[in-house]
Coordinates of all heavy atoms in Angstrom, one line a residue:
P1 N 47.7 -41.1 15.5 CA 46.5 -41.8 15.2 C 45.3 -40.8 15.0 O 45.3 -39.8 15.6 CB 46.2 -42.6 16.5 CG 47.5 -42.6 17.3 CD 48.3 -41.4 16.8
N2 N 44.4 -41.2 14.2 CA 43.3 -40.4 13.9 C 42.0 -41.0 14.5 O 42.1 -42.1 15.2 CB 43.1 -40.2 12.4 CG 42.9 -41.5 11.6 OD1 42.5 -42.5 12.2 ND2 43.2 -41.5 10.3
E3 N 40.8 -40.4 14.2 CA 39.6 -40.9 14.8 C 39.3 -42.3 14.4 O 38.8 -43.1 15.2 CB 38.4 -39.9 14.4 CG 37.1 -40.3 14.8 CD 36.4 -41.3 13.8 OE1 36.6 -41.1 12.6 OE2 35.7 -42.2 14.3
Y4 N 39.6 -42.7 13.2 CA 39.3 -44.0 12.7 C 40.1 -45.1 13.5 O 39.6 -46.1 13.9 CB 39.6 -44.1 11.2 CG 39.4 -45.5 10.7 CD1 38.2 -46.0 10.4 CD2 40.5 -46.4 10.5 CE1 38.0 -47.3 9.9 CE2 40.4 -47.6 10.0 CZ 39.1 -48.1 9.7 OH 38.9 -49.4 9.2
T5 N 41.4 -44.8 13.7 CA 42.3 -45.7 14.4 C 41.8 -45.8 15.9 O 41.7 -47.0 16.4 CB 43.7 -45.1 14.4 OG1 44.1 -44.9 13.1 CG2 44.7 -46.1 15.1
Y6 N 41.6 -44.7 16.5 CA 41.1 -44.8 17.9 C 39.8 -45.6 18.0 O 39.6 -46.4 18.9 CB 40.9 -43.4 18.5 CG 42.2 -42.8 19.0 CD1 42.7 -41.6 18.3 CD2 42.8 -43.2 20.1 CE1 43.8 -41.0 18.8 CE2 44.0 -42.6 20.6 CZ 44.5 -41.5 19.9 OH 45.6 -40.9 20.3
T7 N 38.9 -45.3 17.1 CA 37.6 -46.0 17.1 C 37.8 -47.5 16.9 O 37.1 -48.3 17.7 CB 36.7 -45.5 16.0 OG1 36.4 -44.1 16.3 CG2 35.3 -46.2 15.9
C8 N 38.6 -47.9 16.1 CA 38.9 -49.4 15.9 C 39.4 -50.0 17.2 O 39.0 -51.1 17.6 CB 39.9 -49.6 14.8 SG 39.2 -49.3 13.1
V9 N 40.4 -49.3 17.8 CA 41.0 -49.8 19.1 C 39.9 -49.9 20.2 O 39.8 -50.9 20.9 CB 42.2 -49.0 19.5 CG1 42.7 -49.4 20.8 CG2 43.3 -49.1 18.4
I10 N 39.2 -48.8 20.3 CA 38.1 -48.8 21.4 C 37.1 -49.9 21.2 O 36.7 -50.6 22.1 CB 37.5 -47.4 21.4 CG1 38.5 -46.3 22.0 CG2 36.2 -47.4 22.2 CD1 38.1 -44.9 21.8
G11 N 36.6 -50.0 19.9 CA 35.7 -51.1 19.6 C 36.2 -52.5 19.9 O 35.5 -53.3 20.5
A12 N 37.5 -52.7 19.5 CA 38.1 -54.0 19.8 C 38.2 -54.3 21.3 O 37.9 -55.4 21.8 CB 39.4 -54.1 19.1
M13 N 38.6 -53.3 22.0 CA 38.7 -53.5 23.5 C 37.4 -53.8 24.1 O 37.3 -54.7 24.9 CB 39.3 -52.2 24.1 CG 40.8 -52.0 23.9 SD 41.2 -50.3 24.6 CE 43.0 -50.5 24.7
A14 N 36.4 -53.0 23.7 CA 35.0 -53.2 24.3 C 34.5 -54.6 24.0 O 33.9 -55.3 24.8 CB 34.1 -52.1 23.8
R15 N 34.7 -55.0 22.7 CA 34.2 -56.4 22.3 C 34.9 -57.5 23.0 O 34.4 -58.5 23.3 CB 34.3 -56.5 20.8 CG 33.3 -55.8 20.0 CD 33.3 -56.1 18.5 NE 34.6 -56.1 17.9 CZ 35.2 -55.0 17.4 NH1 34.5 -53.8 17.5 NH2 36.4 -55.0 16.9
A16 N 36.2 -57.2 23.4 CA 37.0 -58.2 24.2 C 36.7 -58.2 25.7 O 37.3 -58.9 26.4 CB 38.5 -57.9 23.9
G17 N 35.7 -57.3 26.1 CA 35.4 -57.2 27.5 C 36.3 -56.3 28.3 O 36.2 -56.3 29.5
K18 N 37.1 -55.6 27.6 CA 38.0 -54.6 28.3 C 37.4 -53.2 28.3 O 38.0 -52.3 27.7 CB 39.4 -54.7 27.7 CG 40.1 -56.0 27.8 CD 41.4 -56.1 27.1 CE 42.0 -57.4 27.2 NZ 43.0 -57.5 28.2
V19 N 36.3 -53.1 28.9 CA 35.5 -51.8 28.9 C 36.3 -50.7 29.6 O 36.3 -49.6 29.2 CB 34.1 -52.0 29.4 CG1 33.4 -50.7 29.5 CG2 33.3 -53.0 28.5
F20 N 36.9 -51.0 30.8 CA 37.6 -50.0 31.5 C 38.7 -49.4 30.6 O 38.9 -48.2 30.5 CB 38.2 -50.6 32.8 CG 39.0 -49.6 33.6 CD1 38.4 -48.7 34.4 CD2 40.4 -49.7 33.5 CE1 39.1 -47.8 35.1 CE2 41.1 -48.7 34.2 CZ 40.5 -47.8 35.0
E21 N 39.5 -50.3 30.0 CA 40.5 -49.8 29.1 C 40.0 -49.1 27.9 O 40.6 -48.1 27.5 CB 41.4 -51.0 28.6 CG 42.2 -51.7 29.7 CD 41.4 -52.8 30.5 OE1 40.1 -52.9 30.3 OE2 42.0 -53.5 31.2
A22 N 38.9 -49.5 27.4 CA 38.2 -48.8 26.2 C 37.8 -47.4 26.6 O 38.0 -46.4 25.9 CB 37.1 -49.6 25.7
K23 N 37.2 -47.3 27.8 CA 36.8 -45.9 28.3 C 38.1 -45.0 28.5 O 38.0 -43.8 28.3 CB 36.0 -46.1 29.6 CG 34.6 -46.6 29.4 CD 33.9 -46.7 30.8 CE 32.5 -47.3 30.6 NZ 31.8 -47.4 31.9
K24 N 39.1 -45.6 29.1 CA 40.4 -44.8 29.2 C 40.9 -44.4 27.9 O 41.4 -43.3 27.8 CB 41.4 -45.7 30.0 CG 41.1 -45.8 31.5 CD 41.2 -44.5 32.1 CE 41.0 -44.6 33.6 NZ 41.0 -43.2 34.2
M25 N 40.8 -45.3 26.9 CA 41.3 -44.9 25.5 C 40.4 -43.7 25.0 O 41.0 -42.8 24.3 CB 41.3 -46.1 24.6 CG 41.8 -45.8 23.2 SD 43.5 -45.3 23.1 CE 44.3 -46.9 23.5
L26 N 39.1 -43.8 25.3 CA 38.3 -42.7 24.9 C 38.7 -41.4 25.5 O 38.8 -40.3 24.8 CB 36.8 -43.0 25.2 CG 35.7 -42.0 24.8 CD1 35.6 -42.1 23.3 CD2 34.4 -42.3 25.5
E27 N 39.0 -41.4 26.8 CA 39.5 -40.2 27.5 C 40.9 -39.7 26.9 O 41.1 -38.5 26.6 CB 39.7 -40.5 28.9 CG 38.4 -40.7 29.7 CD 38.7 -41.1 31.2 OE1 39.8 -40.9 31.7 OE2 37.7 -41.6 31.8
F28 N 41.7 -40.7 26.6 CA 43.1 -40.3 26.0 C 42.9 -39.7 24.6 O 43.6 -38.8 24.3 CB 43.9 -41.6 26.0 CG 45.3 -41.3 25.4 CD1 46.3 -40.7 26.2 CD2 45.6 -41.6 24.1 CE1 47.5 -40.4 25.6 CE2 46.8 -41.4 23.5 CZ 47.8 -40.7 24.3
M29 N 42.0 -40.3 23.9 CA 41.7 -39.8 22.5 C 41.3 -38.3 22.6 O 41.9 -37.5 21.8 CB 40.5 -40.6 21.9 CG 40.0 -40.2 20.6 SD 38.6 -41.2 20.2 CE 38.2 -40.6 18.6
S30 N 40.4 -38.0 23.5 CA 40.0 -36.6 23.6 C 41.1 -35.7 24.0 O 41.3 -34.6 23.5 CB 38.8 -36.5 24.5 OG 37.7 -37.1 24.0
S31 N 41.9 -36.2 25.0 CA 43.0 -35.4 25.5 C 44.1 -35.2 24.5 O 44.9 -34.2 24.5 CB 43.6 -36.0 26.8 OG 44.3 -37.2 26.5
A32 N 44.2 -36.1 23.5 CA 45.1 -35.9 22.4 C 44.6 -35.0 21.3 O 45.3 -34.9 20.3 CB 45.5 -37.3 21.8
G33 N 43.4 -34.5 21.5 CA 42.9 -33.6 20.5 C 42.1 -34.2 19.4 O 41.8 -33.6 18.3
V34 N 41.9 -35.5 19.5 CA 41.1 -36.3 18.5 C 39.8 -36.6 19.2 O 39.7 -37.3 20.2 CB 41.8 -37.6 18.1 CG1 41.0 -38.3 17.1 CG2 43.2 -37.3 17.6
Y35 N 38.7 -36.0 18.6 CA 37.4 -36.1 19.3 C 36.6 -37.2 18.8 O 36.5 -37.5 17.6 CB 36.7 -34.8 19.3 CG 37.5 -33.7 20.0 CD1 38.3 -32.9 19.3 CD2 37.5 -33.7 21.4 CE1 39.2 -32.0 20.0 CE2 38.3 -32.8 22.1 CZ 39.1 -31.9 21.4 OH 39.9 -31.1 22.0
P36 N 35.9 -38.0 19.7 CA 35.1 -39.1 19.3 C 33.9 -38.7 18.5 O 33.4 -37.6 18.7 CB 34.7 -39.8 20.6 CG 34.9 -38.8 21.7 CD 36.0 -37.8 21.1
T37 N 33.5 -39.5 17.6 CA 32.3 -39.3 16.8 C 31.2 -40.3 17.2 O 31.4 -41.1 18.1 CB 32.6 -39.5 15.3 OG1 32.9 -40.9 15.1 CG2 33.7 -38.7 14.8
V38 N 30.1 -40.2 16.6 CA 29.0 -41.1 16.9 C 29.4 -42.5 16.6 O 29.0 -43.5 17.3 CB 27.7 -40.7 16.1 CG1 27.9 -40.9 14.6 CG2 26.5 -41.5 16.6
I39 N 30.3 -42.8 15.7 CA 30.8 -44.1 15.4 C 31.6 -44.6 16.5 O 31.6 -45.8 16.9 CB 31.5 -44.1 14.0 CG1 30.6 -43.7 12.9 CG2 32.2 -45.5 13.8 CD1 31.3 -43.4 11.6
T40 N 32.4 -43.8 17.1 CA 33.3 -44.2 18.2 C 32.4 -44.6 19.4 O 32.6 -45.6 20.0 CB 34.2 -43.0 18.7 OG1 34.9 -42.4 17.5 CG2 35.2 -43.4 19.7
Y41 N 31.4 -43.8 19.7 CA 30.5 -44.1 20.8 C 29.7 -45.4 20.5 O 29.5 -46.2 21.4 CB 29.6 -43.0 21.1 CG 30.2 -41.8 21.9 CD1 30.6 -40.7 21.3 CD2 30.5 -42.0 23.3 CE1 31.2 -39.6 22.0 CE2 31.1 -40.9 24.0 CZ 31.4 -39.8 23.3 OH 32.0 -38.8 24.0
N42 N 29.3 -45.6 19.3 CA 28.5 -46.8 18.9 C 29.4 -48.0 19.1 O 28.9 -49.0 19.6 CB 28.1 -46.7 17.4 CG 26.9 -45.8 17.2 OD1 26.3 -45.3 18.1 ND2 26.7 -45.5 15.9
A43 N 30.7 -47.9 18.8 CA 31.6 -49.1 19.0 C 31.7 -49.4 20.4 O 31.7 -50.6 20.8 CB 33.0 -48.7 18.4
L44 N 31.8 -48.4 21.3 CA 32.0 -48.7 22.7 C 30.7 -49.2 23.3 O 30.7 -50.2 24.0 CB 32.4 -47.4 23.4 CG 32.7 -47.5 24.9 CD1 33.6 -48.6 25.2 CD2 33.3 -46.2 25.4
I45 N 29.6 -48.6 23.0 CA 28.3 -49.0 23.5 C 28.0 -50.5 23.1 O 27.5 -51.3 23.9 CB 27.2 -48.1 23.1 CG1 27.3 -46.7 23.9 CG2 25.8 -48.7 23.4 CD1 26.4 -45.6 23.4
T46 N 28.2 -50.8 21.8 CA 27.9 -52.1 21.3 C 28.7 -53.1 22.1 O 28.2 -54.2 22.5 CB 28.2 -52.2 19.8 OG1 27.4 -51.2 19.1 CG2 28.0 -53.6 19.2
G47 N 30.0 -52.9 22.3 CA 30.8 -53.8 23.0 C 30.4 -53.9 24.5 O 30.4 -55.0 25.0
M48 N 30.0 -52.8 25.1 CA 29.6 -52.8 26.5 C 28.3 -53.7 26.6 O 28.2 -54.5 27.6 CB 29.3 -51.4 27.0 CG 30.5 -50.6 27.2 SD 30.1 -48.9 27.5 CE 29.3 -49.0 29.1
V49 N 27.4 -53.5 25.8 CA 26.1 -54.3 25.9 C 26.3 -55.7 25.5 O 25.7 -56.6 26.2 CB 25.0 -53.7 25.0 CG1 23.8 -54.5 25.0 CG2 24.7 -52.3 25.5
A50 N 27.2 -56.0 24.6 CA 27.4 -57.4 24.1 C 28.0 -58.3 25.2 O 27.5 -59.4 25.4 CB 28.2 -57.4 22.8
N51 N 29.1 -57.9 25.8 CA 29.8 -58.8 26.6 C 30.8 -58.2 27.6 O 31.7 -58.9 28.1 CB 30.6 -59.8 25.8 CG 31.6 -59.1 24.9 OD1 31.9 -58.0 25.1 ND2 32.2 -59.9 24.0
A52 N 30.6 -57.0 28.0 CA 31.5 -56.3 28.9 C 31.3 -56.7 30.3 O 30.2 -57.0 30.7 CB 31.4 -54.8 28.7
P53 N 32.3 -56.6 31.1 CA 32.1 -56.8 32.5 C 31.3 -55.7 33.1 O 31.3 -54.6 32.6 CB 33.6 -56.8 33.1 CG 34.5 -56.4 32.0 CD 33.7 -56.4 30.7
L54 N 30.7 -55.9 34.2 CA 29.8 -54.9 34.8 C 30.6 -53.9 35.6 O 31.6 -54.1 36.1 CB 28.8 -55.6 35.7 CG 28.0 -56.7 35.1 CD1 27.1 -57.4 36.1 CD2 27.2 -56.2 34.0
S55 N 29.9 -52.7 35.7 CA 30.5 -51.7 36.6 C 30.0 -52.0 38.0 O 29.6 -53.1 38.3 CB 30.0 -50.3 36.2 OG 28.6 -50.2 36.4
S56 N 29.9 -51.0 38.9 CA 29.5 -51.2 40.3 C 28.0 -51.3 40.5 O 27.6 -51.0 41.6 CB 30.2 -50.1 41.1 OG 29.7 -48.9 40.7
V57 N 27.3 -51.6 39.5 CA 25.8 -51.7 39.7 C 25.5 -53.0 40.4 O 26.0 -54.1 40.0 CB 25.1 -51.7 38.4 CG1 23.6 -51.9 38.6 CG2 25.4 -50.4 37.6
E58 N 24.8 -52.9 41.6 CA 24.6 -54.1 42.4 C 23.2 -54.7 42.1 O 22.3 -54.0 41.8 CB 24.7 -53.8 43.8 CG 26.1 -53.4 44.2 CD 26.2 -53.1 45.7 OE1 25.4 -53.5 46.5 OE2 27.2 -52.3 46.0
N59 N 23.0 -55.9 42.3 CA 21.7 -56.6 42.2 C 21.1 -56.6 43.6 O 21.4 -57.4 44.5 CB 21.9 -58.0 41.7 CG 20.6 -58.8 41.7 OD1 19.5 -58.1 41.8 ND2 20.6 -60.0 41.5
N60 N 20.2 -55.6 43.8 CA 19.5 -55.5 45.1 C 18.1 -56.2 45.1 O 17.4 -56.2 46.0 CB 19.3 -54.1 45.5 CG 20.7 -53.5 45.9 OD1 21.5 -54.1 46.5 ND2 20.9 -52.2 45.5
D61 N 17.7 -56.7 43.9 CA 16.4 -57.3 43.8 C 16.6 -58.8 43.8 O 17.1 -59.4 42.9 CB 15.8 -56.8 42.4 CG 14.4 -57.3 42.3 OD1 13.9 -58.1 43.1 OD2 13.7 -56.8 41.4
A62 N 16.1 -59.4 44.8 CA 16.2 -60.9 45.0 C 15.5 -61.7 44.0 O 15.8 -62.8 43.8 CB 15.8 -61.3 46.4
F63 N 14.6 -61.0 43.3 CA 13.8 -61.7 42.3 C 14.4 -61.8 40.9 O 14.0 -62.5 40.0 CB 12.4 -61.1 42.2 CG 11.6 -61.2 43.5 CD1 11.4 -60.2 44.3 CD2 11.1 -62.5 43.9 CE1 10.7 -60.3 45.5 CE2 10.4 -62.6 45.1 CZ 10.2 -61.5 45.9
L64 N 15.5 -61.0 40.7 CA 16.2 -61.0 39.4 C 17.2 -62.1 39.4 O 17.9 -62.3 40.3 CB 16.9 -59.6 39.2 CG 16.1 -58.4 38.8 CD1 17.0 -57.2 38.7 CD2 15.3 -58.6 37.6
S65 N 17.2 -62.8 38.3 CA 18.3 -63.8 38.1 C 19.6 -63.1 37.9 O 19.6 -61.9 37.6 CB 18.0 -64.7 36.9 OG 18.2 -64.0 35.7
E66 N 20.7 -63.8 38.1 CA 22.0 -63.2 37.9 C 22.1 -62.7 36.5 O 22.7 -61.6 36.2 CB 23.1 -64.2 38.2 CG 24.5 -63.6 38.2 CD 25.5 -64.6 38.6 OE1 25.3 -65.4 39.6 OE2 26.6 -64.6 38.0
E67 N 21.6 -63.4 35.5 CA 21.7 -63.0 34.1 C 20.9 -61.7 33.8 O 21.4 -60.8 33.1 CB 21.2 -64.1 33.2 CG 21.3 -63.9 31.7 CD 20.8 -65.0 30.9 OE1 21.3 -66.1 31.1 OE2 19.9 -64.8 30.0
Q68 N 19.7 -61.6 34.4 CA 18.9 -60.4 34.2 C 19.6 -59.2 34.9 O 19.6 -58.1 34.3 CB 17.5 -60.6 34.9 CG 16.6 -61.5 34.1 CD 15.4 -61.9 34.9 OE1 15.4 -62.1 36.1 NE2 14.3 -62.0 34.2
A69 N 20.2 -59.4 36.1 CA 20.9 -58.3 36.7 C 22.1 -57.9 35.9 O 22.3 -56.7 35.8 CB 21.3 -58.7 38.1
S70 N 22.8 -58.8 35.4 CA 23.9 -58.5 34.5 C 23.6 -57.7 33.3 O 24.2 -56.7 33.0 CB 24.6 -59.8 34.1 OG 25.6 -59.6 33.2
Y71 N 22.5 -58.1 32.6 CA 22.0 -57.4 31.5 C 21.6 -56.0 31.8 O 22.0 -55.0 31.2 CB 20.9 -58.2 30.8 CG 20.3 -57.5 29.6 CD1 21.0 -57.5 28.4 CD2 19.1 -56.8 29.6 CE1 20.5 -56.9 27.3 CE2 18.6 -56.1 28.5 CZ 19.3 -56.2 27.3 OH 18.9 -55.5 26.2
N72 N 20.8 -55.9 32.9 CA 20.4 -54.6 33.4 C 21.5 -53.6 33.7 O 21.5 -52.4 33.4 CB 19.4 -54.7 34.6 CG 18.1 -55.3 34.2 OD1 17.7 -55.5 33.1 ND2 17.4 -55.8 35.3
A73 N 22.5 -54.1 34.3 CA 23.7 -53.3 34.7 C 24.4 -52.8 33.4 O 24.9 -51.7 33.4 CB 24.6 -54.1 35.6
R74 N 24.5 -53.7 32.4 CA 25.2 -53.2 31.2 C 24.4 -52.2 30.5 O 24.9 -51.2 29.9 CB 25.3 -54.4 30.2 CG 26.5 -55.3 30.6 CD 26.7 -56.4 29.7 NE 26.7 -57.6 30.5 CZ 26.3 -58.8 30.0 NH1 26.0 -58.9 28.8 NH2 26.3 -59.8 30.8
I75 N 23.1 -52.2 30.6 CA 22.2 -51.2 30.0 C 22.4 -49.9 30.7 O 22.6 -48.8 30.1 CB 20.7 -51.6 30.0 CG1 20.5 -52.8 29.1 CG2 19.8 -50.4 29.6 CD1 20.8 -52.6 27.7
V76 N 22.5 -49.9 32.0 CA 22.7 -48.7 32.9 C 24.1 -48.1 32.5 O 24.2 -46.9 32.3 CB 22.7 -49.0 34.4 CG1 23.2 -47.9 35.2 CG2 21.2 -49.4 34.8
D77 N 25.1 -48.9 32.3 CA 26.4 -48.4 31.9 C 26.3 -47.7 30.6 O 26.9 -46.7 30.3 CB 27.4 -49.6 31.8 CG 28.0 -50.0 33.2 OD1 27.7 -49.3 34.2 OD2 28.7 -51.0 33.2
S78 N 25.6 -48.4 29.6 CA 25.5 -47.8 28.3 C 24.8 -46.5 28.2 O 25.1 -45.6 27.5 CB 24.8 -48.9 27.4 OG 25.6 -50.0 27.3
L79 N 23.7 -46.4 29.1 CA 22.9 -45.2 29.1 C 23.8 -44.0 29.7 O 23.7 -42.9 29.2 CB 21.7 -45.4 30.0 CG 20.6 -46.2 29.3 CD1 19.4 -46.5 30.3 CD2 20.1 -45.6 28.0
G80 N 24.7 -44.4 30.6 CA 25.6 -43.3 31.1 C 26.5 -42.8 30.0 O 26.8 -41.6 29.9
L81 N 27.0 -43.8 29.2 CA 27.9 -43.4 28.1 C 27.1 -42.5 27.1 O 27.6 -41.6 26.5 CB 28.4 -44.6 27.4 CG 29.5 -44.3 26.4 CD1 30.7 -43.6 27.0 CD2 30.0 -45.7 25.8
L82 N 25.8 -42.9 26.9 CA 25.0 -42.1 26.0 C 24.8 -40.7 26.5 O 24.9 -39.7 25.7 CB 23.6 -42.8 25.8 CG 22.6 -42.2 24.8 CD1 23.2 -42.2 23.4 CD2 21.3 -42.9 24.9
D83 N 24.6 -40.5 27.8 CA 24.6 -39.2 28.4 C 25.9 -38.4 28.1 O 25.8 -37.2 27.8 CB 24.3 -39.2 29.9 CG 22.9 -39.6 30.2 OD1 22.0 -39.5 29.3 OD2 22.6 -40.0 31.3
Q84 N 27.0 -39.1 28.3 CA 28.3 -38.4 28.1 C 28.4 -38.0 26.6 O 28.9 -36.9 26.3 CB 29.4 -39.4 28.4 CG 30.8 -38.8 28.1 CD 31.9 -39.8 28.3 OE1 31.7 -40.9 29.0 NE2 33.1 -39.6 27.8
M85 N 27.9 -38.8 25.7 CA 28.0 -38.6 24.3 C 27.2 -37.3 24.0 O 27.7 -36.4 23.3 CB 27.4 -39.8 23.6 CG 27.3 -39.7 22.1 SD 26.6 -41.3 21.6 CE 26.4 -40.9 19.9
I86 N 26.0 -37.2 24.5 CA 25.2 -36.0 24.2 C 25.8 -34.7 24.8 O 25.8 -33.7 24.2 CB 23.8 -36.2 24.8 CG1 23.1 -37.3 23.9 CG2 22.9 -35.0 24.8 CD1 21.8 -37.9 24.5
K87 N 26.4 -34.8 26.0 CA 27.1 -33.7 26.7 C 28.3 -33.2 25.8 O 28.6 -32.0 25.9 CB 27.5 -34.0 28.1 CG 26.4 -34.1 29.0 CD 26.9 -34.6 30.4 CE 25.7 -34.8 31.3 NZ 26.1 -35.4 32.6
C88 N 28.9 -34.1 25.0 CA 30.0 -33.7 24.2 C 29.5 -33.3 22.8 O 30.3 -33.2 21.9 CB 30.9 -34.9 24.0 SG 31.8 -35.3 25.5
D89 N 28.2 -33.0 22.7 CA 27.6 -32.6 21.4 C 27.8 -33.6 20.3 O 27.9 -33.2 19.1 CB 28.2 -31.2 21.0 CG 27.7 -30.1 21.9 OD1 26.6 -30.2 22.4 OD2 28.5 -29.2 22.2
V90 N 27.8 -34.8 20.6 CA 27.8 -35.9 19.6 C 26.4 -36.5 19.7 O 26.1 -37.2 20.6 CB 28.9 -36.9 19.8 CG1 28.8 -38.0 18.8 CG2 30.3 -36.3 19.9
L91 N 25.6 -36.2 18.7 CA 24.2 -36.7 18.7 C 24.1 -38.2 18.3 O 24.8 -38.6 17.3 CB 23.4 -35.8 17.8 CG 23.3 -34.4 18.2 CD1 22.5 -33.6 17.2 CD2 22.7 -34.2 19.6
P92 N 23.3 -38.9 19.0 CA 23.1 -40.3 18.6 C 22.5 -40.5 17.3 O 21.7 -39.6 16.8 CB 22.2 -40.9 19.7 CG 21.9 -39.8 20.6 CD 22.6 -38.5 20.1
D93 N 22.7 -41.6 16.6 CA 22.1 -41.9 15.4 C 21.2 -43.2 15.6 O 21.2 -43.7 16.7 CB 23.1 -42.1 14.3 CG 24.0 -43.3 14.4 OD1 23.8 -44.1 15.4 OD2 25.0 -43.4 13.6
P94 N 20.5 -43.6 14.6 CA 19.6 -44.8 14.8 C 20.4 -46.1 15.2 O 19.8 -46.9 15.9 CB 19.0 -45.0 13.4 CG 19.0 -43.7 12.7 CD 20.3 -43.0 13.3
I95 N 21.7 -46.2 14.9 CA 22.5 -47.3 15.3 C 22.8 -47.2 16.8 O 22.7 -48.2 17.5 CB 23.8 -47.4 14.5 CG1 23.4 -47.8 13.1 CG2 24.7 -48.5 15.1 CD1 24.6 -47.7 12.1
T96 N 23.0 -46.0 17.3 CA 23.3 -45.8 18.7 C 22.1 -46.3 19.6 O 22.3 -46.9 20.6 CB 23.6 -44.3 19.0 OG1 24.5 -43.8 18.1 CG2 24.1 -44.2 20.5
V97 N 20.9 -45.8 19.2 CA 19.7 -46.2 20.0 C 19.0 -47.3 19.4 O 18.7 -48.3 19.9 CB 18.8 -45.0 20.2 CG1 19.2 -44.1 21.3 CG2 18.6 -44.2 18.9

């Protein structure tokens, strides 16, 4: 598989709410010597923000609705992925941000 194939699979997983699996595929992609591009990260981030299950971010603010806390946690997850992207020397583009 090449970068295009991995990106399609990662994006589909993330859009389907399988973010954990999509992140694992991203790791596998790199370990196979196929490095993610800005398009790969965009696909994952878009899926995460759109409808992905949350990570371990907790709602400690009693004033936030469950929906607001859920959205905030997805943003935090996405920002973490953005940091990883930059550390791998893949610069974000206007679609990423």
Side-chain angles (χ1 to χ4, degrees):
N2 60 20
E3 176 270 324
Y4 177 79
T5 306
Y6 281 112
T7 297
C8 290
V9 171
I10 289 168
M13 288 175 161
R15 285 189 310 276
K18 298 179 182 258
V19 174
F20 177 78
E21 292 85 350
K23 288 180 179 179
K24 286 293 183 188
M25 183 63 70
L26 183 71
E27 291 174 15
F28 180 78
M29 175 184 183
S30 296
S31 71
V34 181
Y35 297 99
T37 65
V38 68
I39 297 168
T40 310
Y41 283 104
N42 286 347
L44 183 51
I45 290 170
T46 299
M48 289 172 67
V49 172
N51 61 8
L54 303 177
S55 69
S56 59
V57 178
E58 295 181 22
N59 178 12
N60 293 321
D61 186 348
F63 297 105
L64 285 179
S65 72
E66 186 174 322
E67 184 177 306
Q68 289 169 323
S70 174
Y71 179 77
N72 289 347
R74 283 184 237 152
I75 295 297
V76 169
D77 281 349
S78 297
L79 289 174
L81 189 58
L82 186 62
D83 285 341
Q84 176 186 344
M85 180 180 172
I86 292 168
K87 287 177 185 172
C88 293
D89 292 326
V90 178
L91 298 177
D93 66 7
I95 294 172
T96 310
V97 278

